[in-house]
Amino acid sequence: IAGITQAPTSQILAAGRRMTLRCTQDMRHNAMYWYRQDLGLGLRLIHYSNTAGTTGKGEVPDGYSVSRANTDDFPLTLASAVPSQTSVYFCASMEREEAGELFFGEGSRLTVL
Amino acid sequence: GQNIDQPTEMTATEGAIVQINCTYQTSGFNGLFWYQQHAGEAPTFLSYNVLDGLEEKGRFSSFLSRSKGYSYLLLKELQMKDSASYLCAFMDSNYQLIWGAGTKLIIKP
């Protein structure tokens, strides 16, 4: 089934540990995004990539990094996790940056203790 | 600056009609989106408006007034499965989506 796959689905992590959330899409979409969703707040953009080989910072990039080595994969890395990074993380893709319709992965629930 | 606002929670009765409003402010605008998100799940696309007016899609309709910075999502013949959060977002001049906090819709029998 075509779509976006995220891993892990859920993770509990000790503060200070490094963590990579994986995201893979098979729709050959150019644009990919990482959002975090917290109760009472809208989805907030962490990082994005409009095409393979390029990345950009979103609204809340501090403490996170991304890479886009190819079209399909867009991993998000927390270099040294902190409790404020406890959240649900969604990876999403769009055919191209101006297309409009976002396709979301199922989300990764991360708890940092 | 940019901002977007929608009610936190609404309650409606099964079979009825409900209108969820969304207001926004931005200097650059490339469309208004509505997404549905059931608890514990990912958001799914409902509608996209870039021109003023009403777009109808089955039981759901979405309206946009660019001059007023206003949109609404209209849900008709409400069903229990419509209980969800409804997210409003606009696309800014950099083609980034700016999201509202979502409206939790509770459907009562």
Side-chain angles (χ1 to χ4, degrees):
Chain A
I1 298 176
I4 298 179
T5 302
Q6 288 185 235
T9 305
S10 180
Q11 182 77 43
I12 299 174
L13 187 66
R17 297 298 296 268
R18 180 184 180 89
M19 177 73 194
T20 295
L21 303 180
R22 300 183 298 279
C23 176
T24 300
Q25 55 105 355
D26 60 5
M27 297 175 283
R28 308 302 294 172
H29 284 175
N30 283 321
M32 297 189 74
Y33 307 83
W34 274 105
Y35 290 95
R36 60 177 290 172
Q37 188 175 40
D38 302 290
L39 197 64
L41 299 176
L43 287 162
R44 291 184 292 169
L45 183 64
I46 304 170
H47 284 286
Y48 66 93
S49 169
N50 289 330
T51 189
T54 69
T55 62
K57 294 182 179 180
E59 180 186 356
V60 289
D62 294 344
Y64 305 94
S65 63
V66 292
S67 62
R68 187 87 183 277
N70 56 60
T71 297
D72 299 343
D73 301 301
F74 191 45
L76 176 74
T77 297
L78 290 68
S80 179
V82 295
S84 63
Q85 292 178 311
T86 294
S87 188
V88 179
Y89 291 86
F90 286 103
C91 181
S93 72
M94 195 182 291
E95 185 176 354
R96 56 190 187 284
E97 61 177 314
E98 68 272 22
E101 182 179 352
L102 271 173
F103 294 82
F104 285 86
E106 291 303 306
S108 296
R109 182 175 294 277
L110 184 65
T111 302
V112 183
L113 301 176
Chain B
Q2 301 180 126
N3 62 74
I4 184 166
D5 192 40
Q6 54 182 129
T8 302
E9 186 174 296
M10 298 182 70
T11 302
T13 304
E14 188 177 16
I17 298 173
V18 71
Q19 178 175 311
I20 303 173
N21 296 324
C22 173
T23 57
Y24 65 90
Q25 284 185 310
T26 179
S27 56
F29 179 80
N30 282 301
L32 192 291
F33 298 81
W34 286 95
Y35 283 75
Q36 181 190 58
Q37 185 177 25
H38 286 101
E41 298 182 6
T44 55
F45 173 81
L46 285 178
S47 68
Y48 168 58
N49 295 66
V50 66
L51 300 176
D52 290 352
L54 188 69
E55 295 278 344
E56 297 186 74
K57 192 185 294 184
R59 293 189 300 114
F60 293 8
S61 302
S62 57
F63 171 84
L64 175 67
S65 169
R66 289 173 296 171
S67 62
K68 295 182 179 179
Y70 169 69
S71 173
Y72 67 72
L73 181 70
L74 191 72
L75 291 75
K76 303 176 184 176
E77 302 169 15
L78 285 169
Q79 302 175 10
M80 297 304 293
K81 67 179 182 179
D82 297 329
S83 291
S85 288
Y86 291 86
L87 314 181
C88 173
F90 69 83
M91 182 172 276
D92 69 11
S93 56
N94 295 317
Y95 299 105
Q96 298 298 336
L97 284 170
I98 308 300
W99 298 83
T103 298
K104 182 178 181 180
L105 178 63
I106 300 167
I107 310 295
K108 294 184 175 180

